[in-house]
Amino acid sequence: MKRFYAFLTYVWRTLYQAHRATIFSDFLNSITVMVLAGTAAMVMFFLVNFEESLQASKKGISVLVYTHEKPSSQQLKTLSQLPEIEDIKVIPGETILQKEMGKEALRVFREAGVNIPQVISITLEPEKEVSEQFKKIVNHTFQPVYVDYGIEVRRSLGTVLRVIQALSFTTTVLFVVGIIIIVAGGVRSNILMQQQEIEVLKLVGATGRYIAFPYTLKYTYTTFLFITLGLYLFDVLVIGSGVFSSGGGGLLSVKSIPFRFYTYLVLAGTGAAAVSGYYTLRRML
Amino acid sequence: MIQFFHVFKSYTGEDFALRDITFEIEKGEFVFVTGASGAGKTTLLKLIFMEERPTNGQILIAGRNINRLRQSSIPYLRREMGFVFQDFRLVDQWSVYDNVAIALRVAFIDEWEVRRRVSRVLKLLDLDVKRNTPVVRLSGGEQQRVAIARAIVKDPLILLADEPTGNLDPDLSKEILHVFEEVNARGTTVVFATHDLSLIKEFPRRVIKLHRGMVVEK
Ligand SMILES: Nc1ncnc2c1ncn2[C@@H]1O[C@H](COP(=O)(O)OP(=O)(O)O)[C@@H](O)[C@H]1O
Ligand SMILES: [Mg+2]
């Protein structure tokens, strides 16, 4: 029990020294960590918003069936019993033509006696694909002129989303690698500066762990502090100031980063600092 | 307590700092190691402290063969030993108190006990008034006493002292020798390296005499 208290005293003394040292030494490293965290948050911020706008457009594929026959309500009911169907609307061809090409075009088409097909717009549930049964029903019951399955759009969307996920992952990895390099370098220069102290500790019988612990703690603590500070500043200065939400050219409904992203960054960075610090120390001592 | 069997030590691989050293020091003994400068006194103490490894031969400390000791158990053995280095090896920026206390803190002795023991040795060595002074601001003699305080504060099994009176005037040297005797009287084995023969005359004890790396008297 007494040893445990002695250990607590040791931890406390170490943290106290670390707290004072944080402000005066390693100033450059601390600033770098802060900027790194801010940059990572910035990249995440753009990715989150990009993904958000893509997700919005991904909400269920619309299949457009062009046909001259007016579908009966019995036919529409058969189709709507398929599990992937969310909504079915029948839109007169004129409405679409007018919307897409204007009143004038509609008049020209009418005068030329063109038989304008109507459109059955079928919205699928989100994430659902077009099934074979769906195709069969569509082809047999409606005698379509043309069917637009919207699949091409969906495919490329999936790829883009995957690219975005890969980019967020890469950002996190780069952030972690950055922290590892900064901490390893900081520990190295710190050890060179404190060689006398480390020498003495070894001579009075300190274990490698005893010597490594304060430095690891100091770096873990400092990194934690400055990542948090960097993210806080980003949140206040970049998101809080509203530069992106007002008049931000198209990005009208800007999402700020979900809080869990901040947590990931803090945890990943602090963990990286602890591991990097301890590993570098044990290798050097 | 300390046994050397045909120990050789060479730093360069050519000439030997110590050659064919064999001796035994019993538990609780007080032994002087003498010899001219360069005779190998410091090297002998460093071998006992495991700061250097022997090139050849066997060394037994408290029954353990240190050639077979794993690197990771050296710290634990060192906690049983006090070493007063010729060049002190203190942390300049730390206070007198912290420099002495670290010897106990590395073994996780609780802070209350640390305060009690450090205060005692600081009084014993007349360093009480300087306890909060950083050691850089002390004289050579004072630093030497801090080094001694750090070595004896943990009541070590073995106390190794490398010319610990080198920077002290004769009167103070005698006082310090009394401190070592006191520590010895409490059961610590003392190995005291010095080239000051007048000290040995005043405190007749067993002498191991070195000459160019060889034992000429033991
Ligand atoms: N680190 C070292 N590298 C090379 N030679 C050394 C080293 N330390 C001591 N020596 C040599 O070993 C011999 C013994 O030195 P030392 O043990 O310091 O003697 P003493 O302490 O009796 O003056 C000397 O010749 C010295 O030059
Ligand atoms: Mg010497």
Side-chain angles (χ1 to χ4, degrees):
Chain A
M1 207 58 200
K2 274 190 165 181
R3 273 174 164 259
F4 181 65
Y5 283 126
F7 181 71
L8 281 189
T9 318
Y10 168 58
V11 171
W12 165 248
R13 202 183 312 122
T14 304
L15 263 181
Y16 175 70
Q17 281 163 4
H19 191 77
R20 292 203 324 186
T22 305
I23 302 155
F24 302 111
S25 69
D26 299 310
F27 186 68
L28 202 68
N29 280 344
S30 308
I31 296 298
T32 316
V33 166
M34 211 171 80
V35 171
L36 197 65
T39 312
M42 186 70 132
V43 175
M44 289 286 192
F45 170 71
F46 279 119
L47 292 176
V48 163
N49 274 291
F50 192 30
E51 183 176 356
E52 199 64 42
S53 58
L54 283 178
Q55 289 286 9
S57 63
K58 196 182 125 186
K59 271 187 197 140
I61 312 167
S62 279
V63 177
L64 300 178
V65 181
Y66 296 81
T67 173
H68 291 296
E69 304 287 316
K70 194 174 167 61
S72 68
S73 57
Q74 184 55 44
Q75 284 172 324
L76 292 176
K77 208 170 175 190
T78 318
L79 189 63
S80 69
Q81 269 156 7
L82 285 179
E84 66 255 43
I85 306 299
E86 189 182 82
D87 185 34
I88 301 176
K89 258 186 276 175
V90 181
I91 309 162
E94 275 93 355
T95 316
I96 293 186
L97 193 66
Q98 187 182 329
K99 202 170 148 199
E100 299 276 315
M101 303 176 84
K103 256 191 174 132
E104 195 51 35
L106 183 61
R107 196 179 56 78
V108 171
F109 272 87
R110 268 188 187 148
E111 277 169 11
V114 174
N115 188 2
I116 302 168
Q118 51 198 320
V119 177
I120 309 168
S121 167
I122 307 157
T123 311
L124 301 192
E125 298 273 356
E127 313 275 322
K128 287 275 160 61
E129 300 284 351
V130 174
S131 67
E132 282 306 316
Q133 204 187 351
F134 176 90
K135 284 185 186 169
K136 234 182 245 165
I137 294 178
V138 165
N139 284 323
H140 284 114
T141 50
F142 300 131
Q143 283 133 17
V145 181
Y146 172 68
V147 184
D148 175 5
Y149 286 109
I151 283 168
E152 283 311 305
V153 179
R154 171 65 181 279
R155 281 235 171 91
S156 59
L157 210 63
T159 313
V160 174
L161 284 173
R162 241 171 282 134
V163 168
I164 289 181
Q165 270 160 15
L167 282 179
S168 334
F169 183 70
T170 313
T171 309
T172 315
V173 168
L174 286 181
F175 173 67
V176 163
V177 168
I179 296 281
I180 287 175
I181 291 171
I182 293 171
V183 169
V187 166
R188 242 167 248 273
S189 67
N190 229 305
I191 286 186
L192 293 184
M193 264 161 45
Q194 315 242 0
Q195 232 164 10
Q196 190 188 40
E197 185 181 319
I198 289 166
E199 176 92 341
V200 167
L201 282 168
K202 282 185 188 166
L203 291 175
V204 296
T207 54
R209 246 176 288 154
Y210 185 96
I211 302 171
F213 183 72
Y215 290 95
T216 310
L217 200 60
K218 177 185 160 181
Y219 270 90
T220 311
Y221 172 75
T222 313
T223 311
F224 170 77
L225 209 68
F226 280 88
I227 292 176
T228 312
L229 192 64
L231 293 181
Y232 176 74
L233 286 180
F234 168 78
D235 202 76
V236 169
L237 296 182
V238 179
I239 295 186
S241 69
V243 278
F244 290 107
S245 50
S246 62
L251 276 174
L252 280 175
S253 58
V254 179
K255 281 258 158 87
S256 66
I257 305 181
F259 188 72
R260 71 193 150 85
F261 274 72
Y262 287 137
T263 317
Y264 292 157
L265 286 179
V266 169
L267 286 183
T270 309
V275 172
S276 167
Y278 192 73
Y279 182 73
T280 314
L281 279 158
R282 289 314 298 269
R283 274 190 44 156
M284 285 188 76
L285 293 177
Chain B
M1 181 60 61
I2 303 166
Q3 288 165 283
F4 274 51
F5 296 105
H6 307 290
V7 171
F8 291 76
K9 173 66 187 176
S10 169
Y11 289 101
T12 54
E14 290 161 19
D15 42 53
F16 287 87
L18 291 177
R19 54 184 100 209
D20 202 10
I21 306 282
T22 300
F23 65 82
E24 182 171 350
I25 296 173
E26 300 285 341
K27 184 169 171 29
E29 256 193 293
F30 190 125
V31 178
F32 284 113
V33 177
T34 63
S37 179
K41 304 183 292 295
T42 301
T43 305
L44 187 103
L45 295 186
K46 282 181 174 172
L47 285 175
I48 300 173
F49 196 61
M50 285 165 291
E51 205 185 333
E52 296 289 348
R53 293 271 184 176
T55 311
N56 231 317
Q58 307 286 322
I59 300 172
L60 266 67
I61 311 284
R64 273 170 289 191
N65 187 333
I66 66 166
N67 287 11
R68 300 221 194 99
L69 213 60
R70 268 187 288 122
Q71 191 74 21
S72 59
S73 42
I74 287 178
Y76 299 97
L77 209 59
R78 279 193 183 162
R79 289 182 202 169
E80 305 291 324
M81 296 193 224
F83 199 135
V84 184
F85 298 92
Q86 208 165 1
D87 50 356
F88 315 146
R89 310 234 202 142
L90 304 168
V91 182
D92 291 341
Q93 309 308 324
W94 289 4
S95 67
V96 169
Y97 182 90
D98 283 338
N99 264 288
V100 177
I102 191 64
L104 301 173
R105 284 173 176 164
V106 292
F108 293 116
I109 293 179
D110 78 285
E111 205 60 22
W112 183 83
E113 177 74 5
V114 169
R115 202 171 310 145
R116 193 181 68 80
R117 289 215 225 167
V118 174
S119 298
R120 187 177 65 80
V121 292
L122 290 186
K123 270 201 199 88
L124 191 67
L125 288 158
D126 211 9
L127 286 165
D128 220 17
V129 287
K130 304 262 182 181
R131 61 189 292 144
N132 294 319
T133 313
V135 295
V136 258
R137 288 206 251 121
L138 299 181
S139 71
E142 285 166 332
Q143 289 190 9
Q144 187 138 45
R145 279 182 285 148
V146 177
I148 294 167
R150 185 182 63 192
I152 67 175
V153 71
K154 55 190 164 185
D155 285 324
L157 219 53
I158 299 169
L159 177 58
L160 307 165
D162 196 358
E163 318 229 7
T165 55
N167 289 272
L168 307 175
D169 57 64
D171 281 350
L172 202 51
S173 295
K174 274 177 213 156
E175 257 177 60
I176 293 298
L177 227 106
H178 278 300
V179 170
F180 277 88
E181 285 208 302
E182 212 174 285
V183 173
N184 178 236
R186 290 207 267 156
T188 296
T189 308
V190 178
V191 184
F192 192 119
T194 182
H195 61 256
D196 185 356
L197 296 176
S198 66
L199 267 185
I200 303 175
K201 239 172 234 148
E202 203 132 345
F203 294 88
R205 290 287 184 282
R206 181 183 161 197
V207 174
I208 293 175
K209 190 170 180 194
L210 295 175
H211 180 67
R212 294 198 186 156
M214 306 227 275
V215 176
V216 291
E217 184 188 320
K218 58 180 176 178

